Coordinates of all heavy atoms in Angstrom, one line a residue:
M1 N -172.9 -68.1 14.2 CA -174.2 -67.7 13.9 C -175.0 -69.0 13.8 O -174.6 -69.9 13.1 CB -174.5 -66.8 12.8 CG -175.7 -66.2 12.7 SD -175.8 -64.4 12.3 CE -177.1 -64.4 11.0
G2 N -176.2 -69.2 14.4 CA -177.0 -70.3 14.3 C -177.9 -70.1 13.0 O -177.7 -69.3 12.2
P3 N -178.9 -70.9 13.1 CA -179.9 -70.9 12.0 C -180.6 -69.5 12.0 O -180.9 -68.9 13.0 CB -181.0 -72.0 12.3 CG -180.8 -72.3 13.7 CD -179.3 -72.0 14.0
T4 N -180.9 -69.1 10.8 CA -181.5 -67.8 10.6 C -183.0 -67.8 10.2 O -183.4 -68.8 9.7 CB -180.8 -66.9 9.5 OG1 -180.9 -67.5 8.3 CG2 -179.3 -66.7 10.0
R5 N -183.7 -66.9 10.5 CA -185.2 -66.7 10.2 C -185.5 -65.4 9.8 O -184.7 -64.4 10.2 CB -186.1 -67.1 11.4 CG -185.9 -68.6 11.8 CD -186.5 -69.5 10.8 NE -186.6 -70.9 11.2 CZ -185.5 -71.8 11.1 NH1 -184.4 -71.2 10.4 NH2 -185.6 -73.1 11.4
R6 N -186.6 -65.1 9.2 CA -186.9 -63.7 8.7 C -187.9 -63.1 9.7 O -188.9 -63.7 10.1 CB -187.6 -63.8 7.3 CG -187.2 -62.6 6.4 CD -187.6 -62.9 5.0 NE -189.0 -62.7 4.8 CZ -189.6 -61.7 4.4 NH1 -188.7 -60.6 4.0 NH2 -190.9 -61.4 4.2
C7 N -187.7 -61.9 10.0 CA -188.6 -61.1 10.9 C -189.8 -60.6 10.1 O -189.5 -60.1 8.9 CB -187.8 -59.9 11.4 SG -188.8 -58.7 12.3
V8 N -191.0 -60.8 10.4 CA -192.2 -60.4 9.8 C -192.4 -58.9 9.8 O -193.3 -58.4 9.2 CB -193.5 -61.2 10.1 CG1 -193.3 -62.7 9.8 CG2 -193.9 -60.9 11.5
G9 N -191.6 -58.2 10.7 CA -191.7 -56.8 10.9 C -190.9 -56.0 9.8 O -191.4 -55.5 9.0
C10 N -189.6 -56.2 10.0 CA -188.7 -55.5 9.2 C -188.3 -56.2 7.9 O -187.7 -55.6 7.1 CB -187.4 -55.0 10.0 SG -186.4 -56.5 10.5
G11 N -188.5 -57.5 7.9 CA -188.2 -58.2 6.8 C -186.8 -58.8 6.7 O -186.4 -59.4 5.7
H12 N -186.0 -58.5 7.5 CA -184.5 -58.9 7.5 C -184.4 -60.2 8.2 O -185.1 -60.6 9.2 CB -183.6 -57.9 8.3 CG -183.6 -56.6 7.5 ND1 -184.0 -55.3 8.1 CD2 -183.3 -56.3 6.2 CE1 -183.8 -54.4 7.1 NE2 -183.4 -54.9 6.1
S13 N -183.4 -61.0 7.7 CA -183.1 -62.2 8.3 C -182.1 -62.0 9.5 O -181.4 -61.1 9.5 CB -182.5 -63.2 7.4 OG -183.5 -63.6 6.4
D14 N -182.3 -62.8 10.5 CA -181.4 -62.8 11.6 C -181.2 -64.1 12.3 O -182.0 -65.0 12.1 CB -182.0 -61.7 12.7 CG -180.9 -61.2 13.6 OD1 -179.7 -61.8 13.7 OD2 -181.2 -60.2 14.4
D15 N -180.2 -64.2 13.3 CA -180.1 -65.4 14.0 C -181.4 -65.7 14.8 O -182.0 -64.7 15.4 CB -179.0 -65.2 15.0 CG -178.5 -66.5 15.8 OD1 -179.4 -67.3 16.2 OD2 -177.3 -66.7 15.6
K16 N -181.9 -66.9 14.8 CA -183.1 -67.3 15.4 C -183.1 -66.8 16.9 O -184.2 -66.5 17.5 CB -183.2 -68.8 15.4 CG -184.3 -69.5 14.7 CD -184.2 -71.0 14.7 CE -185.4 -71.6 15.5 NZ -185.2 -73.1 15.4
A17 N -182.0 -66.8 17.5 CA -181.9 -66.5 18.9 C -182.3 -65.0 19.2 O -182.7 -64.7 20.4 CB -180.5 -66.7 19.5
N18 N -182.2 -64.2 18.2 CA -182.6 -62.8 18.3 C -184.1 -62.5 18.0 O -184.6 -61.3 18.1 CB -181.8 -61.8 17.4 CG -180.3 -62.0 17.8 OD1 -180.0 -62.1 18.9 ND2 -179.5 -61.8 16.8
L19 N -184.8 -63.5 17.6 CA -186.2 -63.4 17.2 C -187.1 -64.1 18.2 O -186.8 -65.2 18.7 CB -186.4 -63.9 15.9 CG -185.5 -63.3 14.7 CD1 -185.2 -64.2 13.7 CD2 -186.2 -62.1 14.3
L20 N -188.4 -63.6 18.3 CA -189.4 -64.3 19.1 C -190.2 -65.1 18.2 O -190.7 -64.6 17.1 CB -190.3 -63.2 19.8 CG -191.4 -63.7 20.6 CD1 -191.0 -64.5 21.8 CD2 -192.3 -62.6 21.0
R21 N -190.4 -66.4 18.4 CA -191.3 -67.3 17.6 C -192.8 -67.1 18.1 O -193.1 -67.2 19.2 CB -190.8 -68.7 17.7 CG -191.6 -69.6 16.7 CD -191.0 -71.0 16.7 NE -191.5 -71.8 15.6 CZ -192.5 -72.7 15.6 NH1 -193.1 -73.0 16.7 NH2 -192.9 -73.4 14.5
I22 N -193.6 -67.1 16.9 CA -195.0 -67.1 17.2 C -195.6 -68.4 16.4 O -195.0 -68.5 15.2 CB -195.7 -65.9 16.6 CG1 -195.1 -64.6 17.2 CG2 -197.2 -65.8 16.9 CD1 -195.2 -64.5 18.7
A23 N -196.4 -69.1 17.0 CA -196.9 -70.4 16.3 C -198.3 -70.3 16.1 O -199.1 -69.7 16.9 CB -196.6 -71.6 17.3
A24 N -198.7 -70.9 15.0 CA -200.1 -71.1 14.7 C -200.7 -72.3 15.5 O -200.1 -73.4 15.5 CB -200.3 -71.3 13.2
S25 N -201.7 -72.1 16.4 CA -202.3 -73.2 17.1 C -203.8 -73.0 17.1 O -204.4 -72.1 17.5 CB -201.7 -73.1 18.5 OG -202.4 -74.1 19.3
E26 N -204.4 -74.0 16.3 CA -205.9 -74.1 16.3 C -206.5 -72.7 15.7 O -207.5 -72.2 16.4 CB -206.5 -74.5 17.5 CG -206.1 -75.8 17.9 CD -206.7 -76.2 19.3 OE1 -207.2 -75.4 20.0 OE2 -206.5 -77.5 19.7
G27 N -205.9 -72.2 14.8 CA -206.3 -70.9 14.2 C -206.0 -69.7 14.8 O -206.4 -68.6 14.4
R28 N -205.2 -69.8 15.9 CA -204.7 -68.6 16.7 C -203.2 -68.4 16.5 O -202.6 -69.4 16.3 CB -205.2 -68.7 18.1 CG -206.7 -68.8 18.2 CD -207.2 -68.6 19.6 NE -206.8 -67.3 20.2 CZ -207.3 -66.9 21.3 NH1 -208.1 -67.7 22.0 NH2 -207.0 -65.7 21.8
A29 N -202.8 -67.1 16.8 CA -201.3 -66.9 16.9 C -201.0 -66.9 18.3 O -201.4 -66.1 19.2 CB -201.2 -65.5 16.3
V30 N -200.1 -67.9 18.8 CA -199.7 -67.9 20.2 C -198.2 -67.7 20.3 O -197.4 -68.1 19.4 CB -200.0 -69.3 20.8 CG1 -201.5 -69.4 20.9 CG2 -199.4 -70.4 20.0
V31 N -197.8 -67.0 21.4 CA -196.4 -66.7 21.5 C -195.7 -68.1 22.0 O -196.2 -68.8 22.8 CB -196.2 -65.8 22.7 CG1 -194.7 -65.5 23.1 CG2 -196.9 -64.4 22.3
D32 N -194.7 -68.3 21.2 CA -193.9 -69.6 21.6 C -192.5 -69.2 22.0 O -191.5 -69.2 21.3 CB -193.8 -70.4 20.2 CG -193.1 -71.7 20.4 OD1 -192.9 -72.1 21.6 OD2 -192.8 -72.3 19.3
A33 N -192.5 -68.8 23.3 CA -191.2 -68.1 23.9 C -190.1 -69.2 23.8 O -188.9 -68.8 23.6 CB -191.5 -67.7 25.3
S34 N -190.4 -70.4 24.0 CA -189.3 -71.5 23.9 C -188.9 -72.0 22.7 O -188.2 -72.9 22.4 CB -189.5 -72.6 24.9 OG -190.8 -73.2 24.5
A35 N -189.7 -71.6 21.5 CA -189.6 -72.0 20.2 C -189.7 -73.5 20.0 O -189.0 -74.1 19.4 CB -188.3 -71.4 19.6
S36 N -190.5 -74.1 20.8 CA -190.7 -75.6 20.8 C -192.0 -76.1 20.3 O -192.2 -77.4 20.2 CB -190.4 -76.0 22.3 OG -191.4 -75.5 23.1
R37 N -193.0 -75.3 20.0 CA -194.3 -75.7 19.5 C -194.1 -76.3 18.2 O -193.4 -75.8 17.3 CB -195.3 -74.6 19.5 CG -195.9 -74.3 20.9 CD -196.8 -73.1 20.7 NE -197.5 -72.8 22.0 CZ -198.7 -73.3 22.3 NH1 -199.3 -74.1 21.5 NH2 -199.3 -73.1 23.5
P38 N -194.9 -77.4 17.9 CA -194.9 -78.0 16.6 C -195.8 -77.0 15.7 O -196.6 -76.2 16.2 CB -195.6 -79.3 16.8 CG -196.5 -79.1 18.0 CD -195.8 -78.2 18.8
G39 N -195.7 -77.2 14.4 CA -196.5 -76.5 13.5 C -195.9 -75.2 12.9 O -194.7 -75.0 13.2
R40 N -196.7 -74.5 12.0 CA -196.2 -73.4 11.4 C -195.8 -72.2 12.4 O -196.6 -72.0 13.3 CB -197.3 -73.0 10.5 CG -196.9 -71.6 9.7 CD -197.7 -71.4 8.4 NE -197.4 -72.3 7.4 CZ -196.4 -72.1 6.5 NH1 -195.7 -70.9 6.5 NH2 -196.2 -73.0 5.6
G41 N -194.6 -71.6 12.2 CA -194.3 -70.6 13.1 C -193.9 -69.4 12.2 O -193.5 -69.6 11.0
A42 N -193.8 -68.2 12.8 CA -193.3 -67.0 12.2 C -192.4 -66.3 13.3 O -192.8 -66.4 14.4 CB -194.3 -66.2 11.6
Y43 N -191.6 -65.4 12.8 CA -190.8 -64.8 13.8 C -190.7 -63.3 13.7 O -191.0 -62.7 12.7 CB -189.2 -65.2 13.5 CG -189.1 -66.7 13.7 CD1 -189.5 -67.6 12.7 CD2 -188.4 -67.2 14.9 CE1 -189.4 -68.9 13.0 CE2 -188.3 -68.6 15.1 CZ -188.8 -69.4 14.1 OH -188.6 -70.8 14.4
V44 N -190.3 -62.6 14.8 CA -190.2 -61.1 14.9 C -189.2 -60.9 15.8 O -189.0 -61.5 16.8 CB -191.7 -60.4 15.3 CG1 -192.0 -60.9 16.6 CG2 -191.6 -59.1 15.1
H45 N -188.4 -59.7 15.5 CA -187.5 -59.2 16.4 C -188.1 -58.8 17.8 O -189.2 -58.4 17.8 CB -186.7 -58.0 15.8 CG -185.6 -58.3 14.8 ND1 -185.8 -58.0 13.6 CD2 -184.5 -58.9 15.0 CE1 -184.7 -58.5 12.8 NE2 -183.9 -59.1 13.7
R46 N -187.3 -59.0 18.8 CA -187.8 -58.7 20.1 C -187.6 -57.1 20.4 O -186.8 -56.7 21.3 CB -187.0 -59.4 21.2 CG -187.0 -60.9 21.0 CD -185.9 -61.6 21.9 NE -185.9 -63.0 21.7 CZ -186.6 -63.9 22.3 NH1 -187.5 -63.6 23.0 NH2 -186.5 -65.2 22.0
N47 N -188.4 -56.4 19.7 CA -188.4 -55.0 19.9 C -189.7 -54.3 19.4 O -190.4 -54.9 18.6 CB -187.3 -54.1 19.2 CG -187.2 -54.2 17.8 OD1 -188.2 -53.8 17.1 ND2 -186.1 -54.6 17.2
R48 N -190.0 -53.1 19.9 CA -191.3 -52.6 19.7 C -191.6 -52.2 18.1 O -192.6 -52.4 17.6 CB -191.5 -51.3 20.5 CG -192.9 -50.7 20.5 CD -192.8 -49.4 21.4 NE -192.5 -49.7 22.8 CZ -193.4 -50.1 23.7 NH1 -194.7 -50.3 23.3 NH2 -193.0 -50.4 25.0
E49 N -190.4 -51.7 17.6 CA -190.5 -51.3 16.1 C -191.0 -52.4 15.3 O -192.0 -52.2 14.4 CB -189.3 -50.7 15.7 CG -188.9 -49.3 16.3 CD -188.4 -49.5 17.8 OE1 -188.1 -50.5 18.2 OE2 -188.4 -48.5 18.5
C50 N -190.4 -53.5 15.5 CA -190.7 -54.7 14.5 C -192.1 -55.2 14.8 O -192.8 -55.6 13.8 CB -189.6 -55.7 14.6 SG -188.0 -55.3 13.8
V51 N -192.5 -55.3 16.0 CA -193.8 -55.8 16.4 C -194.8 -54.8 15.8 O -195.8 -55.2 15.1 CB -194.0 -55.8 17.9 CG1 -195.4 -56.2 18.2 CG2 -193.1 -56.9 18.4
E52 N -194.6 -53.5 16.0 CA -195.6 -52.6 15.4 C -195.6 -52.6 13.9 O -196.8 -52.6 13.3 CB -195.3 -51.2 15.8 CG -195.7 -50.9 17.3 CD -195.2 -49.5 17.9 OE1 -194.6 -48.7 17.1 OE2 -195.6 -49.2 19.0
Q53 N -194.6 -52.8 13.3 CA -194.5 -53.0 11.8 C -195.3 -54.2 11.4 O -196.0 -54.2 10.3 CB -193.1 -53.1 11.2 CG -192.4 -51.8 10.8 CD -191.2 -51.9 10.0 OE1 -190.7 -53.1 10.0 NE2 -190.7 -51.0 9.5
S54 N -195.0 -55.2 12.0 CA -195.7 -56.5 11.8 C -197.2 -56.4 11.9 O -197.9 -57.0 11.1 CB -195.2 -57.7 12.6 OG -195.7 -57.6 14.0
I55 N -197.7 -55.7 12.9 CA -199.1 -55.5 13.1 C -199.7 -54.6 12.1 O -200.7 -54.9 11.5 CB -199.4 -55.1 14.5 CG1 -199.1 -56.1 15.5 CG2 -200.9 -54.7 14.7 CD1 -199.0 -55.6 17.0
H56 N -199.0 -53.6 11.8 CA -199.4 -52.6 10.7 C -199.5 -53.3 9.4 O -200.5 -53.0 8.6 CB -198.5 -51.4 10.7 CG -198.8 -50.4 9.6 ND1 -199.8 -49.5 9.8 CD2 -198.3 -50.1 8.5 CE1 -199.9 -48.7 8.9 NE2 -199.0 -49.0 7.9
R57 N -198.7 -54.0 9.1 CA -198.6 -54.8 7.8 C -199.6 -56.0 7.7 O -199.7 -56.7 6.8 CB -197.3 -55.2 7.5 CG -196.2 -54.1 7.2 CD -194.9 -54.6 7.1 NE -194.6 -55.6 6.1 CZ -193.5 -56.3 6.0 NH1 -192.5 -56.0 6.8 NH2 -193.4 -57.2 5.0
R58 N -200.3 -56.3 9.0 CA -201.1 -57.5 9.1 C -200.3 -58.7 8.6 O -200.8 -59.5 7.8 CB -202.3 -57.3 8.2 CG -203.2 -56.2 8.5 CD -204.3 -55.9 7.5 NE -204.9 -54.6 7.7 CZ -205.8 -54.3 8.6 NH1 -206.2 -55.1 9.4 NH2 -206.3 -53.0 8.6
A59 N -199.1 -58.8 9.0 CA -198.2 -60.0 8.5 C -198.5 -61.2 9.3 O -198.2 -62.3 8.6 CB -196.8 -59.5 8.8
W60 N -199.1 -61.2 10.4 CA -199.2 -62.5 11.2 C -200.2 -63.6 10.5 O -199.8 -64.7 10.4 CB -199.6 -62.3 12.5 CG -198.5 -61.6 13.3 CD1 -198.4 -60.3 13.8 CD2 -197.1 -62.2 13.6 NE1 -197.3 -60.0 14.3 CE2 -196.5 -61.1 14.3 CE3 -196.6 -63.4 13.5 CZ2 -195.2 -61.3 14.7 CZ3 -195.3 -63.6 14.0 CH2 -194.6 -62.6 14.5
A61 N -201.3 -63.1 10.0 CA -202.3 -64.0 9.5 C -201.6 -64.6 8.2 O -201.8 -65.9 8.0 CB -203.6 -63.3 9.2
R62 N -201.0 -63.9 7.5 CA -200.4 -64.3 6.2 C -199.2 -65.3 6.5 O -199.2 -66.4 5.9 CB -199.9 -63.2 5.3 CG -199.6 -63.4 3.9 CD -199.4 -62.2 3.1 NE -198.5 -61.3 3.8 CZ -198.7 -60.0 4.0 NH1 -199.8 -59.4 3.7 NH2 -197.7 -59.3 4.6
A63 N -198.4 -64.9 7.4 CA -197.3 -65.7 7.8 C -197.7 -67.1 8.4 O -197.0 -68.1 8.1 CB -196.3 -64.9 8.7
L64 N -198.7 -67.0 9.2 CA -199.1 -68.2 10.0 C -200.2 -69.0 9.2 O -200.5 -70.2 9.6 CB -199.6 -67.9 11.3 CG -198.5 -67.2 12.3 CD1 -199.2 -66.7 13.5 CD2 -197.4 -68.3 12.6
R65 N -200.6 -68.4 8.1 CA -201.8 -69.0 7.3 C -203.0 -69.4 8.1 O -203.5 -70.4 8.1 CB -201.2 -70.3 6.6 CG -200.1 -69.9 5.6 CD -199.7 -71.2 4.7 NE -198.6 -70.9 3.9 CZ -197.9 -71.7 3.2 NH1 -198.2 -73.0 3.3 NH2 -196.9 -71.4 2.4
I66 N -203.4 -68.3 8.9 CA -204.6 -68.4 9.5 C -205.5 -67.3 9.1 O -205.0 -66.2 8.6 CB -204.5 -68.3 11.0 CG1 -203.7 -67.0 11.6 CG2 -203.6 -69.6 11.5 CD1 -203.5 -67.0 13.0
A67 N -206.8 -67.4 9.3 CA -207.8 -66.5 8.7 C -207.6 -65.0 9.3 O -207.6 -64.1 8.5 CB -209.2 -67.0 9.0
R68 N -207.5 -64.9 10.6 CA -207.3 -63.6 11.2 C -206.7 -63.8 12.5 O -206.7 -64.9 13.1 CB -208.6 -62.8 11.4 CG -209.6 -63.6 12.2 CD -210.9 -62.8 12.3 NE -210.7 -61.5 12.9 CZ -210.7 -61.3 14.3 NH1 -210.9 -62.4 15.0 NH2 -210.6 -60.1 14.7
V69 N -206.1 -62.8 13.1 CA -205.4 -62.7 14.4 C -206.1 -61.8 15.4 O -206.4 -60.7 15.0 CB -204.0 -62.3 14.3 CG1 -203.2 -62.4 15.7 CG2 -203.2 -63.2 13.3
D70 N -206.6 -62.4 16.5 CA -207.3 -61.6 17.4 C -206.4 -60.5 18.0 O -205.2 -60.7 18.1 CB -207.7 -62.4 18.7 CG -208.8 -63.4 18.4 OD1 -209.4 -63.3 17.2 OD2 -209.1 -64.4 19.1
A71 N -207.1 -59.3 18.4 CA -206.4 -58.3 18.9 C -205.6 -58.7 20.2 O -204.5 -58.2 20.5 CB -207.3 -57.1 19.2
Q72 N -206.3 -59.5 21.0 CA -205.6 -60.0 22.3 C -204.5 -60.8 22.0 O -203.4 -60.8 22.8 CB -206.6 -60.8 23.1 CG -207.1 -62.1 22.7 CD -208.3 -62.6 23.5 OE1 -209.3 -62.1 23.6 NE2 -207.9 -63.8 24.1
D73 N -204.4 -61.5 20.9 CA -203.3 -62.3 20.6 C -202.1 -61.4 20.2 O -201.0 -61.5 20.5 CB -203.5 -63.3 19.5 CG -204.5 -64.5 19.9 OD1 -204.6 -64.6 21.2 OD2 -205.0 -65.1 19.1
L74 N -202.5 -60.3 19.3 CA -201.4 -59.4 19.0 C -200.9 -58.6 20.3 O -199.6 -58.4 20.3 CB -202.1 -58.3 18.0 CG -202.5 -58.8 16.6 CD1 -203.1 -57.7 15.9 CD2 -201.2 -59.3 15.8
D75 N -201.8 -58.3 21.2 CA -201.3 -57.7 22.4 C -200.3 -58.7 23.1 O -199.3 -58.1 23.7 CB -202.4 -57.4 23.3 CG -203.2 -56.3 22.9 OD1 -202.8 -55.5 22.1 OD2 -204.4 -56.1 23.5
A76 N -200.6 -59.9 23.1 CA -199.7 -60.9 23.8 C -198.4 -60.9 23.1 O -197.3 -61.0 23.7 CB -200.2 -62.3 23.8
I77 N -198.4 -60.9 21.8 CA -197.1 -60.9 21.0 C -196.3 -59.6 21.3 O -195.1 -59.8 21.7 CB -197.4 -60.9 19.5 CG1 -198.0 -62.3 19.1 CG2 -196.1 -60.8 18.6 CD1 -198.6 -62.4 17.7
A78 N -197.0 -58.5 21.3 CA -196.2 -57.2 21.5 C -195.7 -57.2 22.9 O -194.5 -56.8 23.1 CB -197.2 -56.0 21.3
T79 N -196.5 -57.8 23.9 CA -196.0 -57.6 25.3 C -194.8 -58.6 25.5 O -193.8 -58.1 26.1 CB -197.1 -58.2 26.2 OG1 -198.2 -57.3 26.2 CG2 -196.7 -58.1 27.7
S80 N -194.8 -59.8 24.9 CA -193.7 -60.7 25.0 C -192.4 -60.2 24.3 O -191.4 -60.3 24.9 CB -194.1 -62.0 24.4 OG -195.1 -62.6 25.0
A81 N -192.6 -59.6 23.2 CA -191.4 -59.1 22.5 C -190.7 -57.9 23.2 O -189.6 -57.9 23.2 CB -191.9 -58.7 21.1
V82 N -191.6 -57.0 23.6 CA -191.0 -55.8 24.3 C -190.5 -56.2 25.7 O -189.4 -55.8 26.2 CB -192.1 -54.8 24.5 CG1 -191.6 -53.6 25.3 CG2 -192.5 -54.3 23.1
E83 N -191.1 -57.1 26.4 CA -190.6 -57.7 27.7 C -189.2 -58.2 27.6 O -188.3 -57.9 28.3 CB -191.5 -58.8 28.3 CG -192.4 -58.3 29.4 CD -193.3 -59.5 29.7 OE1 -193.1 -60.7 29.5 OE2 -194.3 -59.1 30.4
N84 N -189.1 -59.1 26.4 CA -187.8 -59.7 26.2 C -186.7 -58.6 25.9 O -185.5 -58.8 26.1 CB -187.9 -60.7 25.2 CG -188.5 -62.0 25.6 OD1 -188.1 -62.5 26.8 ND2 -189.5 -62.5 24.9
D85 N -187.3 -57.6 25.1 CA -186.3 -56.5 24.7 C -185.8 -55.8 25.9 O -184.5 -55.6 26.0 CB -187.2 -55.6 23.9 CG -186.4 -54.4 23.3 OD1 -185.1 -54.7 22.9 OD2 -186.8 -53.4 22.9
R86 N -186.6 -55.5 26.9 CA -186.2 -54.9 28.1 C -185.2 -55.6 28.8 O -184.3 -55.0 29.5 CB -187.4 -54.6 29.0 CG -188.0 -53.2 28.9 CD -188.8 -52.7 30.2 NE -189.7 -53.7 30.6 CZ -191.0 -53.7 30.1 NH1 -191.5 -52.9 29.2 NH2 -191.8 -54.7 30.6
K87 N -185.4 -56.9 29.0 CA -184.4 -57.8 29.7 C -183.1 -57.8 29.1 O -182.1 -58.3 29.7 CB -185.0 -59.3 29.9 CG -186.1 -59.4 31.0 CD -186.7 -60.8 31.0 CE -188.0 -60.8 31.6 NZ -188.8 -61.9 31.1
G88 N -183.1 -57.4 27.8 CA -181.8 -57.5 27.1 C -181.5 -58.8 26.5 O -180.4 -59.1 26.2
Ligands
LIG1 ZN1 -187.3 -57.0 12.6

């Protein structure tokens, strides 16, 4: 098992490889599919349940320390997480 990170949806820690990284960039939340962006990041499991939980809990702004997260950014996070989920 590699390094672990905490999912902002379910709150459980898991191998980084099982999580999608979201990075804070100029006050916005951007999908960091290659987990290579500098700066503050937060993680969510690649499944619909964890993404929905994270959005419901308004976890992203807090985790990324930004004022608010645009709906379109949340959509991008959800799409990326679920796409990766489907690919397995
Ligand atoms: Zn999770």
Side-chain angles (χ1 to χ4, degrees):
M1 188 135 138
T4 60
R5 293 291 184 274
R6 212 168 84 93
C7 170
V8 299
C10 66
H12 292 125
S13 292
D14 200 352
D15 195 310
K16 241 175 117 175
N18 296 331
L19 299 156
L20 176 68
R21 185 175 193 260
I22 308 302
S25 178
E26 296 177 350
R28 298 188 63 169
V30 296
V31 175
D32 182 15
S34 58
S36 59
R37 280 178 174 268
R40 177 164 287 274
Y43 295 78
V44 67
H45 278 114
R46 301 171 189 273
N47 65 54
R48 189 180 299 276
E49 289 74 20
C50 288
V51 171
E52 284 178 354
Q53 266 194 350
S54 73
I55 293 170
H56 180 71
R57 291 168 58 188
R58 301 175 197 276
W60 292 108
R62 194 167 53 232
L64 296 171
R65 296 188 186 168
I66 58 181
R68 59 182 295 278
V69 181
D70 288 348
Q72 67 187 66
D73 291 343
L74 292 176
D75 283 348
I77 293 168
T79 302
S80 295
V82 174
E83 257 174 19
N84 283 311
D85 189 26
R86 261 205 308 273
K87 279 176 203 156

